[in-house]
Amino acid sequence: MMVTKNTDEPCEPHFLESLSFKDYEVEDWLRSPTDYCNKYIRGNKNKNCRLTWKQRVQYIVNHALNDVYTIEPEMRTREHIYDCFLRRWNLKPNMFPTYFLYQKVLSEVSSQFITWIENMRDLETPIVLFESFTTSIFNQSVQLSMIFQMIECTKTSYNVRKVFVDEERNVIDGYLHMTAVFCHKAFGKLPDTIETTNLLTGEKRELRISDDYELKEAQNKVYVMLQSMERLRSQNKEHVKEVSQWDCYSTPFSMH
């Protein structure tokens, strides 16, 4: 779905011109610039960027979540939610470093998944469930695409929710600010809350933008993040063969 809305931005882009970014690519960059380059720039997807067990579990969680919210609300019992999860669980112990980790992840993620859904018993049907949107940010110079797991209505606005199978604070912080900037530009109204839940630990993170200063801070952080990402793209296109030089490249992005 394409969404466009013109609003002025406090950030004036100088480095970013006519560029496009996808949320999952940005998240991959935040996890590892080296793997990002191998996968998206050098095209070494099979050789250097095999799916990790966390990525595989995230894929299962996404499908199970979609399954749960496409059935009638009265059918969303604890047992049925667990069945939805198990039907999607097709991973084998040898896909994990140890059998103990396999058992622990299956137990913990399924339990946290059920609890997360049960805590939203009043939510019958999200207004958005795994929908993709695209909008222009930074005075139309940058196209950003995002897939929203879940958006629900509130009395005053809406909430954005996402479950992660990831303990990378860098990735979650990046997602929170990127979502705030996207929603402000695409939907013309900020969410009441942007919430993430880590299904490995149960940890919740929230971002609430309450004034223009906080919004500008989020915009500046996203601008720096995308600027650094595009610089890495450009430099690697010029020096594709120099793989090792990016091993120590760090992402200049953190949440304060």
Side-chain angles (χ1 to χ4, degrees):
M1 182 180 295
M2 180 71 181
V3 179
T4 57
K5 183 178 177 62
N6 294 327
T7 58
D8 293 330
E9 300 290 355
C11 303
E12 290 293 335
H14 302 289
F15 191 87
L16 301 172
E17 295 180 359
S18 302
L19 301 174
S20 61
F21 297 87
K22 295 180 175 61
D23 57 348
Y24 59 85
E25 292 181 357
V26 176
E27 289 174 16
D28 282 349
W29 174 77
L30 287 167
R31 289 186 185 93
S32 171
T34 299
D35 288 347
Y36 168 82
C37 288
N38 287 334
K39 183 175 181 180
Y40 297 103
I41 299 175
R42 300 187 183 95
N44 300 328
K45 295 183 180 181
N46 295 328
K47 183 177 179 181
N48 296 315
C49 299
R50 296 184 180 90
L51 290 177
T52 66
W53 64 263
K54 289 182 181 179
Q55 290 171 320
R56 294 176 188 275
V57 176
Q58 181 74 62
Y59 183 81
I60 288 167
V61 166
N62 290 349
H63 279 280
L65 179 61
N66 186 69
D67 292 345
V68 169
Y69 279 98
T70 51
I71 62 176
E72 296 299 321
E74 58 269 18
M75 294 179 62
R76 295 178 202 148
T77 62
R78 185 177 183 86
E79 293 75 16
H80 199 93
I81 295 169
Y82 186 57
D83 287 343
C84 286
F85 184 87
L86 284 186
R87 279 199 299 271
R88 290 291 182 176
W89 184 268
N90 58 359
L91 303 185
K92 307 298 181 185
N94 61 5
M95 295 177 178
F96 293 75
T98 66
Y99 183 75
F100 173 76
L101 180 62
Y102 168 82
Q103 293 279 31
K104 181 179 179 181
V105 170
L106 173 56
S107 174
E108 189 63 33
V109 172
S110 61
S111 176
Q112 293 290 350
F113 179 76
I114 293 168
T115 299
W116 186 75
I117 293 175
E118 285 190 321
N119 287 340
M120 296 187 293
R121 284 199 176 278
D122 294 338
L123 176 61
E124 292 190 358
T125 304
I127 58 171
V128 169
L129 184 66
F130 289 99
E131 286 190 48
S132 177
F133 297 85
T134 300
T135 194
S136 298
I137 59 175
F138 303 131
N139 298 322
Q140 310 300 316
S141 64
V142 178
Q143 291 280 311
L144 178 61
S145 298
M146 294 193 68
I147 300 172
F148 287 86
Q149 271 189 1
M150 180 182 292
I151 298 179
E152 61 179 0
C153 278
T154 66
K155 292 181 179 179
T156 57
S157 183
Y158 59 97
N159 291 330
V160 178
R161 300 183 188 272
K162 182 170 181 175
V163 287
F164 275 96
V165 183
D166 201 320
E167 296 169 288
E168 291 278 353
R169 184 62 61 91
N170 212 34
V171 174
I172 295 172
D173 288 349
Y175 169 80
L176 289 168
H177 287 105
M178 184 166 56
T179 301
V181 172
F182 185 99
C183 289
H184 175 256
K185 192 61 183 288
F187 306 140
K189 186 177 180 63
L190 284 164
D192 287 338
T193 303
I194 305 168
E195 178 194 276
T196 66
T197 300
N198 180 356
L199 295 185
L200 293 171
T201 63
E203 180 186 14
K204 292 184 182 296
R205 300 287 307 284
E206 286 188 354
L207 180 63
R208 299 171 184 262
I209 302 292
S210 59
D211 55 37
D212 290 342
Y213 176 79
E214 291 180 347
L215 176 61
K216 184 176 180 179
E217 275 198 326
Q219 290 168 334
N220 288 337
K221 288 182 178 183
V222 171
Y223 179 75
V224 170
M225 181 170 66
L226 298 185
Q227 183 188 52
S228 300
M229 185 177 171
E230 179 55 28
R231 184 179 292 113
L232 185 62
R233 283 177 175 178
S234 300
Q235 291 173 334
N236 272 263
K237 286 176 182 176
E238 295 174 3
H239 306 286
V240 169
K241 294 182 180 180
E242 299 178 30
V243 177
S244 62
Q245 67 173 316
W246 298 111
D247 289 343
C248 297
Y249 191 98
S250 60
T251 54
F253 183 82
S254 60
M255 186 175 181
H256 300 289

